[in-house]
Amino acid sequence: MTASENYRLKNKASEGLLEALRKLPMITREPAVLPIPRGDREIGAKIEFGAGGREYLLLVETKRFVYPLDARQAFLQLKHRMESTGRPDKGKQIIPLVAAESISPGGKEFLKSKNFGFFDTGGSLFIPARDIYVYIEKPSPKIFQKSVRNLFTGRRSQVLHALLIRHNEWFSVKDLAQFAEVSLATASQTLSALERFEWLDVKGRGPSKERKLANPGALLDEWQRQTPTASRRQTHRRFYVPSSDPGDIARRLNDICEKLGLEYALTEQSAAQIYAPFLTHVSRLTCRLELDIHMNELYAGLGARAVNEGTNLEVIETHLSGEFLFRERVDTVWLASPVQVYLDLLCSDGRSKEMAEHLRHERIGF
């Protein structure tokens, strides 16, 4: 980000904060931005206002995005600044506050726990003053939601998947990139993003630096929240295959895919029932299938007919080879990883969500 872009974004947060303050019903003196002395340049802004017969001064640290790690750093900076300067503004209650274009839920939770104020351009505002207490919670701005959503798509999702599959292991960037089959840059950028959420434990420095998941459950919870949006971009095709036995369809599917060189993996209820039995019977086979010129040969070999009702074979078509990286061979068929099956179940119908929670408890374990 250039210096001018950074300045513009900080101004946007400060101006949004001023506007939010002006709308508060208890304000009795118009908020005003004070000049910042040369020695206080690390403070983003000083804003004073009156409310309920008292005077208040906000010491504002301005950021672009604030994740838990950024919130912790801003807290320490503001705390140090207040301790080193004493209390020169007599008669005013001083309130440290972080203003940003967007603040993650974890960042807000941390600042709130430290009794530090916050504001983001989505409209969230927290002012923990003695005589006025303001807490307005709004959804995160779209730009923040998009930045989080992008973390769970494409090659970056392969990195997350790899970390969840081997959540007890320490990884260097190089080892993780090789395991997830991504570039060093993708692995490094994804790990840096996860550090900001404080989802990683870190040890070592430089080339010897290693990381592992500190809380795999938190990462999977966030992926769960992002899954419905991602699933809408996938192509689902529904077929009827002349067979009443899903196991028979699965075996035929495997044989034809091997003959044609197609990658596939059973998922949703079909796979969950094998990993962690839950239902007495599963009537529909669901699989992820690699987009390939031989797909029509597969459908012809199965005798599959496209239908809207009476489906006993559902296919999620994908061009991402990374979705098959962590599949598992069980008996004669390939299953998507338990993590992938869990996420797919959350987007399915019937008792799939119950199966998802059962699978998470019995097989995934976090």
Side-chain angles (χ1 to χ4, degrees):
M1 185 190 305
T2 65
S4 62
E5 288 173 327
N6 192 48
Y7 178 79
R8 177 179 57 80
L9 289 166
K10 288 187 174 183
N11 264 7
K12 182 178 180 181
S14 296
E15 290 169 4
L17 172 59
L18 276 172
E19 185 62 27
L21 290 172
R22 292 187 183 110
K23 292 179 180 178
L24 295 177
M26 69 283 290
I27 294 296
T28 55
R29 186 168 66 79
E30 184 79 2
V33 179
L34 300 180
I36 300 176
R38 187 178 297 274
D40 287 344
R41 289 303 180 187
E42 57 258 48
I43 298 296
K46 286 186 174 182
I47 300 175
E48 64 176 10
F49 64 93
R54 291 185 177 272
E55 295 293 313
Y56 299 91
L57 175 66
L58 298 180
L59 295 184
V60 184
E61 176 74 20
T62 50
K63 302 277 188 182
R64 186 183 185 189
F65 296 138
V66 174
Y67 299 90
L69 181 60
D70 308 296
R72 193 179 301 277
Q73 292 171 344
F75 161 72
L76 292 173
Q77 289 167 357
L78 281 170
K79 183 180 179 183
H80 172 74
R81 191 63 190 157
M82 292 174 67
E83 291 172 349
S84 63
T85 57
R87 302 181 64 85
D89 298 279
K90 295 180 180 179
K92 297 176 184 176
Q93 184 182 344
I94 299 176
I95 306 167
L97 183 143
V98 177
E101 185 168 359
S102 63
I103 305 177
S104 74
K108 292 175 183 176
E109 183 179 339
F110 173 81
L111 292 169
K112 198 164 181 284
S113 72
K114 298 298 182 180
N115 221 31
F116 268 48
F118 60 74
F119 167 81
D120 73 18
T121 56
S124 293
L125 177 63
F126 177 54
I127 302 178
R130 283 195 300 270
D131 298 299
I132 63 166
Y133 185 90
V134 178
Y135 182 41
I136 301 170
E137 180 63 46
K138 295 287 184 71
S140 299
K142 289 183 179 179
I143 189 169
F144 172 78
Q145 296 174 21
K146 182 179 179 181
S147 71
V148 175
R149 187 164 58 246
N150 287 343
L151 185 60
F152 294 86
T153 59
R155 298 292 184 185
R156 291 175 294 275
S157 69
Q158 291 175 212
V159 178
L160 306 186
H161 205 156
L163 289 167
L164 288 168
I165 292 294
R166 292 164 60 172
H167 60 275
N168 288 320
E169 297 183 30
W170 291 92
F171 283 99
S172 66
V173 172
K174 182 180 179 181
D175 290 342
L176 183 58
Q178 290 175 344
F179 181 53
E181 296 188 10
V182 299
S183 68
L184 288 170
T186 297
S188 179
Q189 290 165 7
T190 306
L191 287 171
S192 294
L194 294 177
E195 276 191 60
R196 296 180 75 182
F197 278 104
E198 297 191 325
W199 286 336
L200 296 178
D201 285 328
V202 182
K203 67 178 182 180
R205 292 185 178 182
S208 64
K209 186 175 183 178
E210 292 184 317
R211 303 163 174 97
K212 79 175 181 70
L213 283 180
N215 188 345
L219 177 58
L220 188 56
D221 286 343
E222 185 59 42
W223 203 340
Q224 172 187 339
R225 285 189 283 271
Q226 301 299 328
T227 291
T229 300
S231 69
R232 289 196 291 269
R233 297 194 293 269
Q234 296 177 328
T235 301
H236 291 244
R237 298 185 66 183
R238 294 171 175 81
F239 300 92
Y240 172 76
V241 176
S243 174
S244 58
D245 181 5
D248 173 62
I249 298 174
R251 287 186 291 273
R252 290 167 56 198
L253 173 74
N254 176 77
D255 292 344
I256 299 173
C257 282
E258 286 190 350
K259 180 180 178 181
L260 297 174
L262 292 174
E263 288 194 294
Y264 81 94
L266 302 188
T267 188
E268 293 188 11
Q269 294 187 10
S270 314
Q273 189 69 5
I274 297 173
Y275 280 133
F278 182 72
L279 301 175
T280 56
H281 177 67
V282 174
S283 60
R284 182 179 68 198
L285 189 78
T286 305
C287 75
R288 287 180 168 272
L289 182 66
E290 175 189 16
L291 277 168
D292 188 274
I293 58 174
H294 298 296
M295 290 177 63
N296 288 336
E297 293 179 57
L298 167 66
Y299 297 141
L302 290 171
R305 176 169 53 88
V307 295
N308 293 321
E309 297 180 351
T311 301
N312 62 358
L313 172 63
E314 183 170 1
V315 178
I316 304 171
E317 296 180 346
T318 177
H319 65 278
L320 299 174
S321 60
E323 293 190 5
F324 302 102
L325 273 179
F326 309 110
R327 63 180 183 166
E328 298 182 18
R329 186 78 171 181
V330 178
D331 296 329
T332 60
V333 295
W334 285 103
L335 308 183
S337 78
V339 168
Q340 185 66 67
V341 174
Y342 170 74
L343 296 172
D344 287 341
L345 281 168
L346 294 173
C347 301
S348 190
D349 53 14
R351 300 188 66 186
S352 292
K353 290 180 176 59
E354 292 177 70
M355 287 192 79
E357 294 312 312
H358 178 74
L359 175 68
R360 184 168 181 175
H361 181 267
E362 295 295 323
R363 180 60 186 260
I364 298 174
F366 52 78

